Amino acid sequence: MPSPQSQDRFQIAVLPGDGIGPEVMASAREVLLAAVDRTPNLTLECTDYSAGAEEFQRSGDPLPASVQDACRQADAVLLGAMGLPHIRWPNGRELTPQIDLREIFQLYQGIRPARLYHEADCPLKGCGAGEIDLVIVRESTEGLFSSRLQPTDANADSVEDRLLVTRARSEQLFHAAFRLARQRRNHLTLVDKANVLPSMVFFRRIFDEISEQYPDVATERVYVDAASLFLIRRPQDFDVLVTENMFGDILSDQAAALVGGMGMAPSADIGDDLAVFQPCHGTAPDLIGQGIANPVAMVLSAAMMLEWLPGTASQQAGAAIRQAVERVLQDPRLRTPDLGGNCSTSRITAALLDALG
Ligand code: ATP
């Protein structure tokens, strides 16, 4: 992490990506720069880089080495969305440079908050604003994604995926989750499948060991199938949840659905040396070019980036963006079509800029 100075100046590598990525990035950039402009002693230098499926069509590489170097040298990375269903590797797999980044930079903490800003956005009855306020910490470098790059023989009789859990990575993950719980409501839920899978018995044992170092944090252990049910029945009870890669992938989409869908779900992929901030959603090919993508997830991801950067100035700018989102979403007419509204991306952006004051 970079160290704070009196004039805080940060280099941000911006990867708008594919599909609606550049559209939501344009919105977030306006809001981000407006918030920074209004904050004394804070400068962001944002530089764009091309990566993703369209870059693959241009250069044959979705994540060129020069872009990786730029990310390595930046203080943080802001990413839109990457991959398009019709652009694939010769073996048929979709391009996923956003997942490659997590592995290259060992961004093991997938931080995925879900917060309900207005009851109208929740499909459940009786959930008020702020009542759903949870964070899923998804392990993002191993688990059931660990053999994703292995070649597949299409003519084989069987294909196997491996669920990898290492002690070192799990310890790092659980420490991060406990620290996050301490900054919030002091409650941490382990989500696993320790009743069936040996890897998950191991995962739980490590969790139990680490939990002894955090006696002030209340813990519970829930199987992933039950967690999925509890997330619908009593989402208000959750604070921080920590889980394996694939379980976190699925549960975080479910949590997003509780607060308005993918357009409302920001995320951060954090490692020990770098962090990438991006919305949970993909490139939404059905919406490209229509100007109706919901920019809120991307804007909130930019706020998470500011809050992750060191120093009070960036904290202040991040909080200002969060408050602007809160203010805008209080008016249920200010919604893009994914939330039943008829606002364009630029209308929501203008409302956010107004709300920043
Ligand atoms: P990925 O596998 O890359 O995560 P996906 O296939 O799961 O992508 P997404 O692109 O995340 O799909 O989104 C699924 C659908 O949700 C989209 O097709 C779109 O209709 C809707 N959606 C996603 N993001 C947004 C957004 N920001 N605004 C409006 N609708 C969205």
Side-chain angles (χ1 to χ4, degrees), residues 2 13 16 56 81 134-135 159 207 236 258 282:
F56 173 73
L134 58 89
V135 182
V159 175
F207 179 84
Q236 303 91 332
L258 297 175

Side-chain angles (χ1 to χ4, degrees), residues 108-112 135-139 169-191 203 207 210-211 214 216-220 239-244 270:
Y108 60 91
Q109 305 168 41
I111 308 290
R112 300 184 158 209
V135 182
I136 294 175
V137 181
R138 164 189 174 185
E139 198 294 314
R169 181 48 31 94
S170 304
E171 286 181 356
Q172 281 179 303
L173 177 80
F174 293 142
H175 279 299
F178 274 104
R179 286 194 300 266
L180 180 62
R182 271 187 175 163
Q183 290 163 21
R184 290 175 48 92
R185 303 193 300 276
N186 269 303
H187 191 272
L188 181 60
T189 304
L190 171 72
V191 177
F203 197 54
F207 179 84
I210 301 294
S211 72
Y214 300 86
D216 52 317
V217 177
T219 57
E220 64 177 337
D239 178 11
V240 181
L241 302 91
V242 63
T243 190
E244 180 273 336
I270 300 179

Side-chain angles (χ1 to χ4, degrees), residues 95-168:
L95 304 162
T96 49
Q98 70 283 16
I99 303 181
D100 300 337
L101 274 174
R102 289 175 203 153
E103 293 171 0
I104 292 166
F105 293 106
Q106 293 294 295
L107 310 176
Y108 60 91
Q109 305 168 41
I111 308 290
R112 300 184 158 209
R115 184 174 194 284
L116 182 63
Y117 285 93
H118 194 289
E119 61 183 24
D121 300 325
C122 183
L124 305 179
K125 281 180 273 180
C127 277
E131 283 179 17
I132 300 175
D133 184 4
L134 58 89
V135 182
I136 294 175
V137 181
R138 164 189 174 185
E139 198 294 314
S140 297
T141 56
E142 44 188 43
L144 198 48
F145 279 41
S146 63
S147 50
R148 72 183 182 95
L149 297 178
Q150 268 171 23
T152 314
D153 177 0
N155 300 314
D157 290 332
S158 67
V159 175
E160 209 170 89
D161 291 319
R162 188 169 64 131
L163 198 167
L164 173 70
V165 174
T166 66
R167 169 169 282 280

Side-chain angles (χ1 to χ4, degrees), residues 18-347:
D18 306 305
I20 62 166
E23 301 175 33
V24 293
M25 184 64 83
S27 168
R29 188 194 307 253
E30 273 193 69
V31 175
L32 178 64
L33 295 181
V36 169
D37 270 357
R38 288 159 175 72
T39 310
N41 306 321
L42 180 62
T43 305
L44 284 195
E45 285 167 15
C46 296
T47 310
D48 280 29
Y49 298 93
S50 174
E54 289 185 348
E55 175 58 32
F56 173 73
Q57 277 194 319
R58 264 190 300 276
S59 68
D61 186 350
L63 193 60
S66 58
V67 176
Q68 294 179 37
D69 283 347
C71 292
R72 196 168 284 114
Q73 278 156 29
D75 293 310
V77 178
L78 201 55
L79 191 153
M82 287 181 187
L84 288 169
H86 61 284
I87 304 177
R88 292 172 181 260
W89 292 107
N91 66 5
R93 225 173 5 90
E94 242 186 80
L95 304 162
T96 49
Q98 70 283 16
I99 303 181
D100 300 337
L101 274 174
R102 289 175 203 153
E103 293 171 0
I104 292 166
F105 293 106
Q106 293 294 295
L107 310 176
Y108 60 91
Q109 305 168 41
I111 308 290
R112 300 184 158 209
R115 184 174 194 284
L116 182 63
Y117 285 93
H118 194 289
E119 61 183 24
D121 300 325
C122 183
L124 305 179
K125 281 180 273 180
C127 277
E131 283 179 17
I132 300 175
D133 184 4
L134 58 89
V135 182
I136 294 175
V137 181
R138 164 189 174 185
E139 198 294 314
S140 297
T141 56
E142 44 188 43
L144 198 48
F145 279 41
S146 63
S147 50
R148 72 183 182 95
L149 297 178
Q150 268 171 23
T152 314
D153 177 0
N155 300 314
D157 290 332
S158 67
V159 175
E160 209 170 89
D161 291 319
R162 188 169 64 131
L163 198 167
L164 173 70
V165 174
T166 66
R167 169 169 282 280
R169 181 48 31 94
S170 304
E171 286 181 356
Q172 281 179 303
L173 177 80
F174 293 142
H175 279 299
F178 274 104
R179 286 194 300 266
L180 180 62
R182 271 187 175 163
Q183 290 163 21
R184 290 175 48 92
R185 303 193 300 276
N186 269 303
H187 191 272
L188 181 60
T189 304
L190 171 72
V191 177
D192 65 23
K193 193 67 185 170
N195 51 339
V196 175
L197 301 175
S199 58
M200 291 286 102
V201 173
F202 182 59
F203 197 54
R204 184 178 287 208
R205 189 178 312 137
I206 298 166
F207 179 84
D208 290 342
E209 287 168 22
I210 301 294
S211 72
E212 286 171 19
Q213 299 176 41
Y214 300 86
D216 52 317
V217 177
T219 57
E220 64 177 337
R221 293 139 186 83
V222 181
Y223 301 136
V224 63
D225 41 346
S228 164
L229 182 142
F230 295 150
L231 261 180
I232 302 293
R233 258 215 190 133
R234 50 175 185 87
Q236 303 91 332
D237 291 355
F238 289 107
D239 178 11
V240 181
L241 302 91
V242 63
T243 190
E244 180 273 336
N245 203 341
M246 181 66 139
F247 296 162
D249 187 28
I250 298 168
L251 289 181
S252 58
D253 272 27
Q254 191 182 335
L258 297 175
V259 299
M262 300 312 292
M264 302 293 275
S267 81
D269 292 314
I270 300 179
D272 290 338
D273 303 314
L274 185 69
V276 175
F277 298 83
Q278 66 178 114
C280 288
H281 63 73
T283 54
D286 50 323
L287 303 182
I288 297 173
Q290 297 180 48
I292 54 169
N294 185 348
V296 169
M298 182 78 243
V299 169
L300 285 171
S301 304
M304 287 176 81
M305 179 186 78
L306 287 169
E307 288 168 348
W308 175 81
L309 288 166
T312 52
S314 59
Q315 301 295 314
Q316 208 180 311
I321 293 180
R322 213 174 271 290
Q323 280 156 19
V325 170
E326 186 121 28
R327 238 173 274 147
V328 167
L329 294 178
Q330 268 169 23
D331 180 349
R333 289 167 306 176
L334 288 172
R335 294 292 186 280
T336 39
D338 52 308
L339 290 169
N342 56 14
C343 291
S344 61
T345 311
S346 55
R347 173 74 190 90

